Amino acid sequence: ISDYLSSENIDINNVNADRYNISDFSIDNKVTYSTVHKAKGNESYSVYVVGCESLYYNPNVKNRNLLFTAMTRTKGWLTMTGIGRTALELFDEISDALEKAPSLSYKYPPDAKIRQIEIDLKRVETEEKNSDLEKLIQEYGAEGLKAMIRELESKKVKKK
């Protein structure tokens, strides 16, 4: 997407370029290119959500929340794109909801399904924590992490 916009002489503010920082989310006369995570807490007048099927193919609570977050980043206009059967299912669901607006109806899942959802959410949280830990180990090494932990612990002792 960045390459295409550049080829059309459209200036880009790629907030994904720096993994840990967002200096200015919105810059005049530039298209902001962002992930849903980095867009959270920011809004724009026009938002394009590209590749919706990637979050809808497995419609669990986490992915639905990410889609909702992406959709609610707009102050005015929202354009969503996607390909394949999964995208069509998502767009059909959105159309059904719009037809019923301003009312919202849904089927409440049975207790067994709710328990399974809770189990799935805990599993996803654990997998994310493990993934984050593995990334830290790759970046700093096990000994480097141990040194950082010792340093933090010594600072806690000094404060007491």
Side-chain angles (χ1 to χ4, degrees), residues 49-54 56-57 80-91:
V49 181
V50 181
C52 296
E53 75 282 354
S54 66
Y56 194 75
Y57 79 95
M80 298 174 69
T81 67
I83 59 171
R85 182 186 54 79
T86 305
L88 291 175
E89 289 173 8
L90 169 63
F91 298 144

PDB file of all heavy atoms in Angstrom, residues 49-54 56-57 80-91:
ATOM      1  N   VAL A  49     -10.237   0.658   6.065  1.00  0.00           N
ATOM      2  CA  VAL A  49      -9.832  -0.575   6.731  1.00  0.00           C
ATOM      3  C   VAL A  49      -9.616  -1.592   5.619  1.00  0.00           C
ATOM      4  O   VAL A  49     -10.560  -2.012   4.959  1.00  0.00           O
ATOM      5  CB  VAL A  49     -10.889  -1.066   7.745  1.00  0.00           C
ATOM      6  CG1 VAL A  49     -10.413  -2.325   8.436  1.00  0.00           C
ATOM      7  CG2 VAL A  49     -11.205   0.028   8.759  1.00  0.00           C
ATOM      8  N   VAL A  50      -8.375  -1.961   5.403  1.00  0.00           N
ATOM      9  CA  VAL A  50      -7.999  -2.835   4.289  1.00  0.00           C
ATOM     10  C   VAL A  50      -7.764  -4.256   4.795  1.00  0.00           C
ATOM     11  O   VAL A  50      -7.110  -4.456   5.808  1.00  0.00           O
ATOM     12  CB  VAL A  50      -6.714  -2.287   3.613  1.00  0.00           C
ATOM     13  CG1 VAL A  50      -6.308  -3.156   2.444  1.00  0.00           C
ATOM     14  CG2 VAL A  50      -6.922  -0.842   3.170  1.00  0.00           C
ATOM     15  N   GLY A  51      -8.297  -5.223   4.072  1.00  0.00           N
ATOM     16  CA  GLY A  51      -8.067  -6.625   4.430  1.00  0.00           C
ATOM     17  C   GLY A  51      -8.906  -7.097   5.600  1.00  0.00           C
ATOM     18  O   GLY A  51      -8.426  -7.853   6.452  1.00  0.00           O
ATOM     19  N   CYS A  52     -10.163  -6.667   5.655  1.00  0.00           N
ATOM     20  CA  CYS A  52     -11.041  -7.024   6.781  1.00  0.00           C
ATOM     21  C   CYS A  52     -11.167  -8.527   6.990  1.00  0.00           C
ATOM     22  O   CYS A  52     -11.351  -8.992   8.112  1.00  0.00           O
ATOM     23  CB  CYS A  52     -12.437  -6.445   6.554  1.00  0.00           C
ATOM     24  SG  CYS A  52     -12.458  -4.664   6.532  1.00  0.00           S
ATOM     25  N   GLU A  53     -11.043  -9.286   5.904  1.00  0.00           N
ATOM     26  CA  GLU A  53     -11.217 -10.734   6.021  1.00  0.00           C
ATOM     27  C   GLU A  53     -10.172 -11.364   6.941  1.00  0.00           C
ATOM     28  O   GLU A  53     -10.404 -12.411   7.536  1.00  0.00           O
ATOM     29  CB  GLU A  53     -11.182 -11.413   4.642  1.00  0.00           C
ATOM     30  CG  GLU A  53      -9.818 -11.525   4.018  1.00  0.00           C
ATOM     31  CD  GLU A  53      -9.278 -10.241   3.389  1.00  0.00           C
ATOM     32  OE1 GLU A  53      -9.989  -9.234   3.316  1.00  0.00           O
ATOM     33  OE2 GLU A  53      -8.123 -10.266   2.958  1.00  0.00           O
ATOM     34  N   SER A  54      -9.030 -10.713   7.093  1.00  0.00           N
ATOM     35  CA  SER A  54      -7.976 -11.287   7.927  1.00  0.00           C
ATOM     36  C   SER A  54      -8.370 -11.324   9.400  1.00  0.00           C
ATOM     37  O   SER A  54      -7.877 -12.153  10.151  1.00  0.00           O
ATOM     38  CB  SER A  54      -6.663 -10.527   7.745  1.00  0.00           C
ATOM     39  OG  SER A  54      -6.790  -9.211   8.239  1.00  0.00           O
ATOM     40  N   TYR A  56     -11.805 -11.324  10.233  1.00  0.00           N
ATOM     41  CA  TYR A  56     -13.133 -11.931  10.322  1.00  0.00           C
ATOM     42  C   TYR A  56     -13.119 -13.429  10.049  1.00  0.00           C
ATOM     43  O   TYR A  56     -14.066 -14.119  10.381  1.00  0.00           O
ATOM     44  CB  TYR A  56     -14.090 -11.229   9.357  1.00  0.00           C
ATOM     45  CG  TYR A  56     -15.537 -11.542   9.619  1.00  0.00           C
ATOM     46  CD1 TYR A  56     -16.198 -10.965  10.690  1.00  0.00           C
ATOM     47  CD2 TYR A  56     -16.234 -12.421   8.811  1.00  0.00           C
ATOM     48  CE1 TYR A  56     -17.524 -11.257  10.955  1.00  0.00           C
ATOM     49  CE2 TYR A  56     -17.560 -12.721   9.061  1.00  0.00           C
ATOM     50  CZ  TYR A  56     -18.198 -12.133  10.129  1.00  0.00           C
ATOM     51  OH  TYR A  56     -19.504 -12.419  10.393  1.00  0.00           O
ATOM     52  N   TYR A  57     -12.031 -13.954   9.476  1.00  0.00           N
ATOM     53  CA  TYR A  57     -12.007 -15.384   9.133  1.00  0.00           C
ATOM     54  C   TYR A  57     -12.165 -16.257  10.364  1.00  0.00           C
ATOM     55  O   TYR A  57     -12.644 -17.376  10.296  1.00  0.00           O
ATOM     56  CB  TYR A  57     -10.720 -15.751   8.374  1.00  0.00           C
ATOM     57  CG  TYR A  57      -9.514 -15.909   9.264  1.00  0.00           C
ATOM     58  CD1 TYR A  57      -9.128 -17.155   9.745  1.00  0.00           C
ATOM     59  CD2 TYR A  57      -8.771 -14.800   9.642  1.00  0.00           C
ATOM     60  CE1 TYR A  57      -8.030 -17.293  10.582  1.00  0.00           C
ATOM     61  CE2 TYR A  57      -7.676 -14.930  10.473  1.00  0.00           C
ATOM     62  CZ  TYR A  57      -7.314 -16.173  10.935  1.00  0.00           C
ATOM     63  OH  TYR A  57      -6.246 -16.307  11.766  1.00  0.00           O
ATOM     64  N   MET A  80     -14.350  -0.023   3.916  1.00  0.00           N
ATOM     65  CA  MET A  80     -13.775  -1.303   4.308  1.00  0.00           C
ATOM     66  C   MET A  80     -13.599  -2.148   3.056  1.00  0.00           C
ATOM     67  O   MET A  80     -14.476  -2.173   2.199  1.00  0.00           O
ATOM     68  CB  MET A  80     -14.692  -2.012   5.299  1.00  0.00           C
ATOM     69  CG  MET A  80     -14.876  -1.241   6.592  1.00  0.00           C
ATOM     70  SD  MET A  80     -16.088  -1.993   7.709  1.00  0.00           S
ATOM     71  CE  MET A  80     -15.219  -3.465   8.196  1.00  0.00           C
ATOM     72  N   THR A  81     -12.448  -2.835   2.972  1.00  0.00           N
ATOM     73  CA  THR A  81     -12.213  -3.716   1.835  1.00  0.00           C
ATOM     74  C   THR A  81     -11.849  -5.102   2.332  1.00  0.00           C
ATOM     75  O   THR A  81     -11.352  -5.269   3.442  1.00  0.00           O
ATOM     76  CB  THR A  81     -11.070  -3.196   0.931  1.00  0.00           C
ATOM     77  OG1 THR A  81      -9.838  -3.270   1.657  1.00  0.00           O
ATOM     78  CG2 THR A  81     -11.316  -1.774   0.473  1.00  0.00           C
ATOM     79  N   GLY A  82     -12.107  -6.059   1.485  1.00  0.00           N
ATOM     80  CA  GLY A  82     -11.763  -7.430   1.805  1.00  0.00           C
ATOM     81  C   GLY A  82     -12.002  -8.287   0.579  1.00  0.00           C
ATOM     82  O   GLY A  82     -12.651  -7.854  -0.382  1.00  0.00           O
ATOM     83  N   ILE A  83     -11.480  -9.498   0.601  1.00  0.00           N
ATOM     84  CA  ILE A  83     -11.661 -10.402  -0.532  1.00  0.00           C
ATOM     85  C   ILE A  83     -12.170 -11.752  -0.051  1.00  0.00           C
ATOM     86  O   ILE A  83     -11.969 -12.133   1.101  1.00  0.00           O
ATOM     87  CB  ILE A  83     -10.347 -10.591  -1.334  1.00  0.00           C
ATOM     88  CG1 ILE A  83      -9.240 -11.145  -0.431  1.00  0.00           C
ATOM     89  CG2 ILE A  83      -9.916  -9.302  -1.997  1.00  0.00           C
ATOM     90  CD1 ILE A  83      -7.989 -11.562  -1.182  1.00  0.00           C
ATOM     91  N   GLY A  84     -12.844 -12.453  -0.939  1.00  0.00           N
ATOM     92  CA  GLY A  84     -13.263 -13.818  -0.662  1.00  0.00           C
ATOM     93  C   GLY A  84     -14.564 -13.922   0.108  1.00  0.00           C
ATOM     94  O   GLY A  84     -15.218 -12.940   0.453  1.00  0.00           O
ATOM     95  N   ARG A  85     -14.908 -15.175   0.382  1.00  0.00           N
ATOM     96  CA  ARG A  85     -16.156 -15.515   1.071  1.00  0.00           C
ATOM     97  C   ARG A  85     -16.231 -14.874   2.451  1.00  0.00           C
ATOM     98  O   ARG A  85     -17.271 -14.387   2.885  1.00  0.00           O
ATOM     99  CB  ARG A  85     -16.272 -17.036   1.177  1.00  0.00           C
ATOM    100  CG  ARG A  85     -17.542 -17.526   1.840  1.00  0.00           C
ATOM    101  CD  ARG A  85     -17.535 -19.034   2.047  1.00  0.00           C
ATOM    102  NE  ARG A  85     -16.376 -19.535   2.761  1.00  0.00           N
ATOM    103  CZ  ARG A  85     -16.216 -19.475   4.086  1.00  0.00           C
ATOM    104  NH1 ARG A  85     -17.129 -18.919   4.841  1.00  0.00           N
ATOM    105  NH2 ARG A  85     -15.131 -19.972   4.658  1.00  0.00           N
ATOM    106  N   THR A  86     -15.097 -14.862   3.158  1.00  0.00           N
ATOM    107  CA  THR A  86     -15.068 -14.311   4.509  1.00  0.00           C
ATOM    108  C   THR A  86     -15.444 -12.838   4.516  1.00  0.00           C
ATOM    109  O   THR A  86     -16.226 -12.389   5.363  1.00  0.00           O
ATOM    110  CB  THR A  86     -13.675 -14.515   5.140  1.00  0.00           C
ATOM    111  OG1 THR A  86     -13.345 -15.897   5.078  1.00  0.00           O
ATOM    112  CG2 THR A  86     -13.641 -14.057   6.569  1.00  0.00           C
ATOM    113  N   ALA A  87     -14.919 -12.086   3.564  1.00  0.00           N
ATOM    114  CA  ALA A  87     -15.252 -10.659   3.480  1.00  0.00           C
ATOM    115  C   ALA A  87     -16.734 -10.475   3.164  1.00  0.00           C
ATOM    116  O   ALA A  87     -17.388  -9.600   3.746  1.00  0.00           O
ATOM    117  CB  ALA A  87     -14.384  -9.978   2.425  1.00  0.00           C
ATOM    118  N   LEU A  88     -17.254 -11.306   2.271  1.00  0.00           N
ATOM    119  CA  LEU A  88     -18.683 -11.206   1.938  1.00  0.00           C
ATOM    120  C   LEU A  88     -19.545 -11.474   3.164  1.00  0.00           C
ATOM    121  O   LEU A  88     -20.557 -10.791   3.387  1.00  0.00           O
ATOM    122  CB  LEU A  88     -19.040 -12.176   0.816  1.00  0.00           C
ATOM    123  CG  LEU A  88     -18.447 -11.845  -0.556  1.00  0.00           C
ATOM    124  CD1 LEU A  88     -18.764 -12.952  -1.561  1.00  0.00           C
ATOM    125  CD2 LEU A  88     -18.946 -10.505  -1.051  1.00  0.00           C
ATOM    126  N   GLU A  89     -19.172 -12.450   3.980  1.00  0.00           N
ATOM    127  CA  GLU A  89     -19.914 -12.734   5.211  1.00  0.00           C
ATOM    128  C   GLU A  89     -19.891 -11.538   6.152  1.00  0.00           C
ATOM    129  O   GLU A  89     -20.913 -11.176   6.747  1.00  0.00           O
ATOM    130  CB  GLU A  89     -19.330 -13.960   5.910  1.00  0.00           C
ATOM    131  CG  GLU A  89     -19.605 -15.262   5.194  1.00  0.00           C
ATOM    132  CD  GLU A  89     -18.879 -16.449   5.824  1.00  0.00           C
ATOM    133  OE1 GLU A  89     -18.281 -16.280   6.916  1.00  0.00           O
ATOM    134  OE2 GLU A  89     -18.916 -17.541   5.230  1.00  0.00           O
ATOM    135  N   LEU A  90     -18.727 -10.913   6.305  1.00  0.00           N
ATOM    136  CA  LEU A  90     -18.605  -9.730   7.156  1.00  0.00           C
ATOM    137  C   LEU A  90     -19.494  -8.612   6.640  1.00  0.00           C
ATOM    138  O   LEU A  90     -20.258  -8.009   7.398  1.00  0.00           O
ATOM    139  CB  LEU A  90     -17.150  -9.258   7.225  1.00  0.00           C
ATOM    140  CG  LEU A  90     -16.925  -7.878   7.863  1.00  0.00           C
ATOM    141  CD1 LEU A  90     -17.367  -7.872   9.324  1.00  0.00           C
ATOM    142  CD2 LEU A  90     -15.473  -7.469   7.738  1.00  0.00           C
ATOM    143  N   PHE A  91     -19.419  -8.318   5.344  1.00  0.00           N
ATOM    144  CA  PHE A  91     -20.191  -7.215   4.777  1.00  0.00           C
ATOM    145  C   PHE A  91     -21.690  -7.502   4.844  1.00  0.00           C
ATOM    146  O   PHE A  91     -22.493  -6.587   5.048  1.00  0.00           O
ATOM    147  CB  PHE A  91     -19.726  -6.906   3.361  1.00  0.00           C
ATOM    148  CG  PHE A  91     -18.275  -6.466   3.299  1.00  0.00           C
ATOM    149  CD1 PHE A  91     -17.467  -6.831   2.249  1.00  0.00           C
ATOM    150  CD2 PHE A  91     -17.708  -5.701   4.314  1.00  0.00           C
ATOM    151  CE1 PHE A  91     -16.128  -6.443   2.193  1.00  0.00           C
ATOM    152  CE2 PHE A  91     -16.378  -5.306   4.276  1.00  0.00           C
ATOM    153  CZ  PHE A  91     -15.590  -5.676   3.210  1.00  0.00           C
TER     154      PHE A  91
END
